[in-house]
Amino acid sequence: DIQMTQSPSSLSASLGDRVTITCRASQGIRNYLAWFQQKPGKAPRSLVYAASSLRSGVPSKFSASGSGTDFTLIISSLQPEDFATYYCQQYYTYPFTFGPGTKVHIK
Amino acid sequence: EVQLFESGGGLVQPGGSLRLSCAASGFAFRDYAMSWVRQAPGKGLHWVSSISGSGGDTYYADSVKGRFTISRDNSQNTLYMEVNSLRAEDTAIYYCAKGGESGHYGDFDYWGQGSLVTVSS
């Protein structure tokens, strides 16, 4: 199985901060990488697919990049609604696997 | 508007069974792969199973293979998961997820609100 790791596992940030979350796959997955946002008690929300394509309706403060094994999600200016847990996921091959998540806290 | 609504969860004893349902609306259900993803309380996300739009192709995580069966009724716009021989470690919120426009089964663009399955004696 392809293992997905994320760093950091958690971070504290202030409103307006630029936040960077990284995701690494244990083997190359081309660009078959998605990012999700999950708030407590809610279902995950899709932010990004194909490593860098924003879903319809996702604000442009989110950006993502990467290919192969290393990927990045950036939130350009953190707002109150962005405090959540972020997961990456590979869909290059079965079983589809998720990273352990990065929890973004308010500083 | 895409909507997915899961039901059928509940408290079940070890070794028991349940049938989860996911009612879909707002899109051409038969044209999209669908999947189940679960999340144990306070834990991360784990893919469980996927099914093609026609229902002819199915895929499972090793941890549920032989115990869970995914299916769909395209006339009713409903996705199912028959879960048998339940174990404590199957306790989780079960989400259904719609396949995205890319056509890749693991490209999940919309998720339901989830259905909690608790396995306990």
Side-chain angles (χ1 to χ4, degrees):
Chain A
D1 298 1
I2 296 176
Q3 308 302 316
M4 306 300 293
T5 57
Q6 289 182 234
S7 61
S9 57
S10 68
L11 66 90
S12 293
S14 300
L15 295 178
D17 281 355
R18 175 185 171 94
V19 167
T20 301
I21 300 170
T22 62
C23 174
R24 175 165 288 177
S26 61
Q27 64 188 75
I29 59 170
R30 296 171 61 183
N31 70 333
Y32 294 103
L33 191 283
W35 288 97
F36 300 91
Q37 176 194 65
Q38 187 177 33
K39 297 179 180 179
K42 300 294 187 182
R45 171 196 179 197
S46 176
L47 298 177
V48 172
Y49 67 101
S52 60
S53 298
L54 261 59
R55 290 287 184 198
S56 174
V58 173
S60 59
K61 61 181 171 182
F62 291 96
S63 63
S65 63
S67 183
T69 60
D70 294 305
F71 302 87
T72 301
L73 176 71
I74 294 173
I75 309 171
S76 61
S77 177
L78 208 61
Q79 297 303 306
E81 63 271 18
D82 303 326
F83 292 96
T85 299
Y86 293 84
Y87 295 94
C88 63
Q89 175 235 337
Q90 68 81 17
Y91 55 99
Y92 177 70
T93 190
Y94 293 101
F96 306 133
T97 46
F98 293 83
T102 295
K103 190 168 185 178
V104 178
H105 301 267
I106 301 173
K107 184 183 285 185
Chain B
E1 178 192 7
V2 172
Q3 292 192 328
L4 301 169
F5 186 79
E6 300 93 337
S7 60
L11 175 62
V12 60
Q13 292 188 336
S17 300
L18 283 174
R19 188 175 81 158
L20 303 177
S21 300
C22 171
S25 62
F27 64 102
F29 183 70
R30 67 177 63 245
D31 289 345
Y32 294 90
M34 296 292 295
S35 299
W36 291 96
V37 176
R38 68 184 181 183
Q39 185 171 37
K43 302 297 184 182
L45 300 165
H46 291 273
W47 170 77
V48 174
S49 182
S50 297
I51 187 168
S52 62
S54 67
D57 295 311
T58 57
Y59 304 86
Y60 297 93
D62 284 347
S63 58
V64 307
K65 203 172 292 183
R67 300 188 299 123
F68 289 12
T69 302
I70 192 172
S71 63
R72 61 193 296 160
D73 183 342
N74 286 343
S75 69
Q76 297 293 318
N77 289 350
T78 303
L79 174 72
Y80 300 103
M81 174 71 81
E82 196 80 36
V83 297
N84 299 308
S85 303
L86 283 163
R87 308 165 180 167
E89 55 264 35
D90 295 317
T91 294
I93 297 171
Y94 285 74
Y95 295 101
C96 67
K98 171 185 169 291
E101 298 294 333
S102 69
H104 292 286
Y105 287 20
D107 174 20
F108 309 134
D109 60 357
Y110 290 93
W111 298 58
Q113 88 292 341
S115 184
L116 177 62
V117 173
T118 303
V119 184
S120 175
S121 55

